[in-house]
Amino acid sequence: MAAQCIKSNACFGGIQYKFKHASRELKCEMTFSVFVPGQAQASATSSSPSPSSYPVLYYLSGLTCTDDNVVQKSGIQRGAARCNVAVVCPDTSPRGLGYPGEDDSWDFGTGAGFYVSATTSPWKEGYRMDAYVTSELPAVLAATPELSPHLNLKKASIMGHSMGGHGALVLALRNPGMYASVSAFAPICHPSVVPWGKKAFGGYLGDDEEAWRSYDACALVSGYSGEKIEVLMDTGTADEFLEEQLRVEDLVASAAGNDRVAVTSRMNEGYDHSYFTVATFVEDHVAFHAARLV
């Protein structure tokens, strides 16, 4: 079950790793990236690993992305090093399963797993990103010797961008107590009613309206009764997908009156859907989570 390290780079005093492993849930070889603070200095000054154990922040990426996007474009490592938080970045879907239609469009199939566990054929066999992120990936982290001594997997938060923001929101709301906090950049907040979400849910979940609701942040937040959780969202007023695909205001309205969920939604003048926006606010988000992972 342990993953194989295929690359490591010193970064902001820590180490940025890339791993691969055979996924039971996704039926293919998967890659993921992990930033561990402090390990570069530790390896330079000692022959034994640092005993430090860091809380874990999962970052879920958006449509068409891989685990490389946030690692190479956002500078998230700077804030993680300052806050002593490890960052785990999975890929966005299985790869190369060969299902009919898997590579026909950029917003469904490869690179667009939508963080659901599919229920329709053939997608239910391998498109199980929910189960992968919440169950299999933590077990792989715990079994990987380069990582397990340095990760406190009992303390975790989750964040994401766009489709990954949707994923972070729904995985936190579906699993009360699993994550200490959740945040998102430009999240798809109401997927049941927007084109991206309707296409993905129709393909992966079929016509089951209850299944759609179970992966819709607006439906989940209105009925959430688990442990209290704080949500931070940053979205740009110049985001080209704001009205048609994101519907951020719907989540704010759905959460109103539910004292189990505290939502802070910041609309940032002039910012768009790109990683320039993520890079601008990512250190705020890391600090937000670090304060809740103590």
Side-chain angles (χ1 to χ4, degrees), residues 8-291:
S8 64
N9 299 91
C11 183
F12 291 106
I15 296 180
Q16 180 65 60
Y17 292 100
K18 191 176 183 72
F19 291 89
K20 66 179 180 180
H21 73 109
S23 171
R24 179 188 69 252
E25 293 288 354
L26 305 182
K27 305 296 190 294
C28 66
E29 183 176 271
M30 292 293 290
T31 63
F32 64 88
S33 296
V34 182
F35 174 72
V36 181
Q39 298 310 295
Q41 297 105 320
S43 63
T45 58
S46 172
S47 59
S48 59
S50 166
S52 300
S53 180
Y54 301 99
V56 174
L57 176 57
Y58 293 92
Y59 183 98
L60 307 183
S61 290
L63 290 165
T64 75
C65 292
T66 70
D67 52 305
D68 289 333
N69 292 75
V70 64
V71 168
Q72 297 177 5
K73 293 181 177 181
S74 74
I76 194 171
Q77 299 93 339
R78 183 195 300 271
R82 287 176 176 170
C83 294
N84 286 317
V85 173
V87 182
V88 175
C89 310
D91 201 351
T92 54
S93 78
R95 303 274 168 175
L97 295 183
Y99 297 163
E102 186 177 36
D103 296 315
D104 287 355
S105 59
W106 61 270
D107 55 357
F108 183 82
T110 300
F114 258 83
Y115 303 101
V116 304
S117 286
T119 57
T120 62
S121 295
W123 311 101
K124 65 182 180 181
E125 302 300 325
Y127 274 69
R128 296 179 49 78
M129 288 300 295
D130 175 351
Y132 177 73
V133 172
T134 59
S135 180
E136 184 178 8
L137 183 56
V140 171
L141 297 172
T144 300
E146 294 94 335
L147 299 175
S148 58
H150 309 301
L151 303 184
N152 184 352
L153 293 166
K154 294 181 179 179
K155 289 188 175 183
S157 289
I158 192 166
M159 65 186 292
H161 172 229
S162 191
M163 178 187 71
H166 145 76
L169 291 169
V170 300
L171 295 186
L173 294 169
R174 284 170 59 90
N175 298 281
M178 181 175 289
Y179 305 107
S181 50
V182 57
S183 73
F185 302 102
I188 304 169
C189 289
H190 205 170
S192 293
V193 302
V194 303
W196 281 341
K198 288 194 286 187
K199 181 175 181 177
F201 286 3
Y204 297 136
L205 305 174
D207 297 328
D208 186 345
E209 292 184 4
E210 192 58 36
W212 286 36
R213 288 177 55 82
S214 74
Y215 283 108
D216 187 307
C218 287
L220 290 167
V221 76
S222 62
Y224 181 83
S225 59
E227 295 183 22
K228 287 186 177 181
I229 191 166
E230 293 181 67
V231 180
L232 173 64
M233 299 189 297
D234 270 294
T235 310
T237 60
D239 192 309
E240 57 270 41
F241 304 112
L242 181 60
E243 297 300 327
E244 184 181 18
Q245 303 284 10
L246 305 184
R247 302 287 286 269
V248 174
E249 71 283 356
D250 291 5
L251 183 70
V252 175
S254 296
N258 187 343
D259 61 5
R260 310 302 296 175
V261 186
V263 176
T264 299
S265 179
R266 306 189 300 199
M267 299 302 301
N268 301 287
E269 188 68 30
Y271 285 88
D272 60 18
H273 200 72
S274 73
Y275 262 90
F276 292 112
T277 300
V278 175
T280 300
F281 300 104
V282 71
E283 290 194 43
D284 286 355
H285 284 239
V286 173
F288 165 81
H289 292 295

